[in-house]
Amino acid sequence: MPNIPTELDQTELAGLLTVMQLSDSALPTGSFSHSFGMETYQQRGTVDSAASYTAWATGYLHQMAYSEGLAVRLTHDAAGDDDHERIARIDQLLYAAAIPQQIRDAGTSMGQRMNTIVEVAIDETSALRNYRDAIEAHECHGHASVVFALAAAAVGVSVRQAVAAYLMQLGTALTQNAIRSIPLGQNAGQQVLTDLRHVIPEVVDVVFDLDEHDLGASAPGLEIAQMMHETQRARMFMS
Amino acid sequence: MTVRPSTDNPVGQLRMVIEERAGRAIARQQYFQGALRVLRPHYLDDTGQVSYTIVNPGGGYLGGDVYALDIEVGGGSSATMTSQSATKVYKTPDEPAYQHSTFRLGPDAVLEYVPDQLIAYRDAHYIQDTVVEMDPSASFLSTEIVTPGWAPDGTLFKYDQLQLRQEVRMHGRPVIVDNLIVRPDDESAPVRSMLFMDGRTHLGSLLAVDARIDAELVAELREKIADALEHIGTMTPANKPESSKPEALFGITLVDGPGLAVRVLGTKTEQIAAALYAVVNDLRARWRDQGPIHLRKY
């Protein structure tokens, strides 16, 4: 039996609840319409079952360490120093490093939706306000991972928890899409999600082993699948 | 995380400032030391574009080796940089081999950086950082071909990892970050393989940044690459064992430079080269009325 931690105080509880709200797969960011390249593998027949999807999603989450996972960590760090310039740079690098057009567009559209949600959901901090102003002024593009990290920092959630929660949210959203598109049964879906949950701590470790040079690094096979999706016929997803 | 080695004491260093003089581009300043040098320039057509060939007399990159290139192409001048032979990265037991390049392009400058393939041997770890500082009116293109080295027994070496990172800046702001991590397929981790080499052994990558690039051009080039790969495919006799190898895969996309990026995965250098040079040569003809880029044949 693991030790039961001491009870959370009111602030910690508020932080946990905020992260739960922002990690909900029903959060209206538009994630239900993006497969991030998975649909190309489905069309090729290499992702067609719970097992093959779990394998693919495990690889995908490992890849997310370099982009969105690392972006959460770097943004959370910068939010602690209220360093808007660094936050703006992370936003620019993240956008610039999203080479496949559909991934770049997905990042911006989900980022702007996340920004609107957080505006409603979180008491504003100067870091959040500066980022929102920069998006409105088109100095920043907007990315969900940056907004999420700023929100987590605003409510006092630790950087490791923020990274883990964000990755779990990615895994949940993707799995919901796999359940609909492969399709998978609901129980199979929960089994997959359980497997992915066990992968996330490893991915969090990878995130903490990287630096800004690694931000947005991608794998060629995944990028090709994401690019090929642009011309795929009969698509269910926008990416 | 791999901490970037310092470029203060490189094994090889090359600095050039290329400018136009009397209708032809030429290096006004040129400095090289150690394991990098450059051959005398050539002019391969009547456009005034200068062509330089980079030479690595050392023969290959070893662990801890640092190479530093700094090439400036002044306003209105046009240059092609190639290499004399493939860059070989050998076993790097402790530290990775590292190359840092800076390319600076003035207004309306043209730079095509088209080196021969990079051959990675067993346990090779290599990092290549490239920073491109360009005026928005300039035209930049670079290619990379990555192949595994052959072991004496005829199998392909398993290199460790390559990171090829290219950051394009305009007015000091990062506009495009082309950051690829390349790992050979690993039979014990088929998942990773699907995202990395997907059953193939050879990689090609191309980045072009030019204000004339749009979605329509990307669509045209997509057809050109498909044709080039199909042509190469039909040149391989059907009875050769190679016909059992997986087909080449490629993707092309519009980036916000504007620019375009191409990735190709295949099983032969010729295949990758055919796909990438279909794009290079199309753009040369389309924009500057130039013939195909002059390269050694594979």
Side-chain angles (χ1 to χ4, degrees), chain A:
Chain A
M1 276 284 285
N3 291 331
I4 294 173
T6 49
E7 289 304 324
L8 301 181
D9 65 25
Q10 288 300 94
T11 311
E12 290 163 335
L13 208 51
L16 174 66
L17 292 168
T18 306
V19 164
M20 286 175 71
Q21 182 185 353
L22 298 182
S23 316
D24 182 358
S25 67
L27 199 74
T29 57
S31 64
F32 58 86
S33 52
H34 294 281
S35 86
F36 306 102
M38 176 183 68
E39 194 172 24
T40 306
Y41 291 93
Q42 267 181 253
Q43 191 249 343
R44 286 184 202 156
T46 45
V47 170
D48 61 354
S49 64
S52 55
Y53 166 72
T54 305
W56 184 83
T58 300
Y60 180 77
L61 286 176
H62 268 278
Q63 209 45 55
M64 286 298 100
Y66 292 82
S67 54
E68 306 192 21
L70 180 57
V72 172
R73 185 193 127 207
L74 296 175
T75 304
H76 193 287
D77 289 349
D81 303 331
D82 203 6
D83 187 342
H84 175 67
E85 268 182 39
R86 242 163 81 208
I87 293 163
R89 178 168 168 80
I90 294 159
D91 173 279
Q92 282 166 12
L93 287 173
L94 206 49
Y95 179 83
I99 295 290
Q101 187 179 12
Q102 291 185 340
I103 300 304
R104 200 163 58 247
D105 292 348
T108 303
S109 107
M110 291 170 60
Q112 294 184 357
R113 296 234 205 148
M114 185 65 122
N115 184 34
T116 310
I117 294 163
V118 164
E119 187 169 11
V120 174
I122 308 285
D123 289 340
E124 191 150 87
T125 59
S126 65
L128 274 167
R129 187 171 50 251
N130 287 335
Y131 188 52
R132 183 167 305 133
D133 288 349
I135 294 171
E136 275 165 24
H138 302 289
E139 287 157 15
C140 285
H141 302 278
H143 198 283
S145 59
V146 176
V147 182
F148 184 94
L150 293 176
V155 297
V157 169
S158 79
V159 62
R160 271 185 89 82
Q161 283 187 30
V163 172
Y166 189 82
L167 292 168
M168 188 67 200
Q169 170 273 128
L170 283 182
T172 310
L174 201 54
T175 302
Q176 291 298 338
N177 292 344
I179 288 171
R180 285 187 292 134
S181 63
I182 293 178
L184 302 176
Q186 288 297 342
N187 283 343
Q190 287 307 309
Q191 182 57 56
V192 166
L193 210 46
T194 307
D195 294 342
L196 295 181
R197 200 184 77 217
H198 288 112
V199 168
I200 285 170
E202 289 167 30
V203 181
V204 173
D205 280 346
V206 176
V207 167
F208 282 84
D209 204 27
L210 302 175
D211 67 19
E212 195 189 88
H213 277 105
D214 299 306
L215 190 60
S218 192
L222 176 63
E223 279 195 335
I224 287 178
Q226 292 170 335
M227 291 176 185
M228 287 175 81
H229 192 264
E230 292 174 26
T231 50
Q232 187 178 313
R233 266 175 261 166
R235 288 177 298 195
M236 225 176 122
F237 297 104
M238 290 166 71
S239 75

Side-chain angles (χ1 to χ4, degrees), chain B residues 216-279:
Chain B
E216 199 183 327
L217 175 58
V218 168
E220 279 181 48
L221 293 173
R222 188 178 284 120
E223 297 300 320
K224 291 249 164 126
I225 298 170
D227 288 348
L229 285 172
E230 194 177 334
H231 182 65
I232 277 280
T234 57
M235 284 167 60
T236 306
N239 58 357
K240 269 191 159 181
E242 270 151 351
S243 57
S244 64
K245 287 184 176 175
E247 282 186 354
L249 280 177
F250 81 93
I252 180 170
T253 197
L254 184 67
V255 292
D256 199 356
L260 61 88
V262 179
R263 310 280 191 235
V264 191
L265 288 174
T267 51
K268 280 178 297 187
T269 303
E270 296 91 316
Q271 214 176 19
I272 307 296
L276 299 187
Y277 298 139
V279 175

Side-chain angles (χ1 to χ4, degrees), chain B:
Chain B
M1 173 172 62
T2 310
V3 177
R4 264 45 180 182
S6 156
T7 52
D8 289 348
N9 281 307
V11 167
Q13 187 175 17
L14 174 63
R15 278 207 308 263
M16 298 176 84
V17 178
I18 296 167
E19 284 182 356
E20 192 178 74
R21 206 171 272 175
R24 297 212 308 186
I26 186 80
R28 185 171 55 76
Q29 292 174 31
Q30 184 172 304
Y31 167 83
F32 50 81
Q33 65 93 14
L36 274 183
R37 57 192 181 89
V38 69
L39 302 181
R40 68 181 178 80
H42 286 277
Y43 296 88
L44 302 165
D45 56 32
D46 58 7
T47 63
Q49 181 179 52
V50 68
S51 178
Y52 280 101
T53 304
I54 299 171
V55 183
N56 173 11
Y61 289 21
L62 302 170
D65 280 2
V66 174
Y67 289 81
L69 289 88
D70 189 325
I71 293 162
E72 180 174 333
V73 185
S77 40
S78 176
T80 294
M81 308 289 305
T82 59
S83 57
Q84 193 183 40
S85 57
T87 298
K88 299 184 174 88
V89 183
Y90 295 112
K91 190 172 183 163
T92 56
D94 302 314
E95 287 175 276
Y98 181 60
Q99 178 176 302
H100 188 283
S101 309
T102 304
F103 299 128
R104 303 168 210 274
L105 281 73
D108 300 312
V110 175
L111 176 63
E112 296 170 299
Y113 179 68
V114 189
D116 276 7
Q117 75 266 36
L118 186 88
I119 305 179
Y121 287 85
R122 179 164 33 225
D123 301 329
H125 183 190
Y126 175 65
I127 302 174
Q128 181 172 289
D129 277 332
T130 304
V131 174
V132 183
E133 306 254 15
M134 65 185 281
D135 188 273
S137 65
S139 186
F140 174 75
L141 178 140
S142 69
T143 59
E144 289 293 347
I145 298 176
V146 175
T147 79
W150 291 94
D153 67 358
T155 59
L156 293 168
F157 274 130
K158 285 244 187 304
Y159 51 92
D160 173 23
Q161 176 174 304
L162 314 176
Q163 184 174 12
L164 307 173
R165 184 181 191 276
Q166 231 177 162
E167 179 171 331
V168 179
R169 297 180 191 151
M170 290 183 188
H171 306 302
R173 264 176 71 130
V175 178
I176 300 164
V177 178
D178 184 343
N179 197 351
L180 264 185
I181 291 186
V182 191
R183 292 184 193 130
D185 282 356
D186 181 353
E187 295 76 22
S188 66
V191 178
R192 287 248 152 155
S193 302
M194 211 198 279
L195 296 158
F196 279 89
M197 300 302 281
D198 215 348
R200 282 77 177 170
T201 47
H202 292 52
L203 167 77
S205 177
L206 179 150
L207 179 68
V209 188
D210 187 298
R212 290 164 286 196
I213 295 172
D214 59 16
E216 199 183 327
L217 175 58
V218 168
E220 279 181 48
L221 293 173
R222 188 178 284 120
E223 297 300 320
K224 291 249 164 126
I225 298 170
D227 288 348
L229 285 172
E230 194 177 334
H231 182 65
I232 277 280
T234 57
M235 284 167 60
T236 306
N239 58 357
K240 269 191 159 181
E242 270 151 351
S243 57
S244 64
K245 287 184 176 175
E247 282 186 354
L249 280 177
F250 81 93
I252 180 170
T253 197
L254 184 67
V255 292
D256 199 356
L260 61 88
V262 179
R263 310 280 191 235
V264 191
L265 288 174
T267 51
K268 280 178 297 187
T269 303
E270 296 91 316
Q271 214 176 19
I272 307 296
L276 299 187
Y277 298 139
V279 175
V280 175
N281 292 335
D282 177 282
L283 297 179
R284 285 169 62 86
R286 187 183 292 264
W287 290 337
R288 297 186 295 275
D289 212 14
Q290 285 185 288
I293 198 156
H294 175 77
L295 291 165
R296 290 179 14 261
K297 294 285 170 275
Y298 291 101

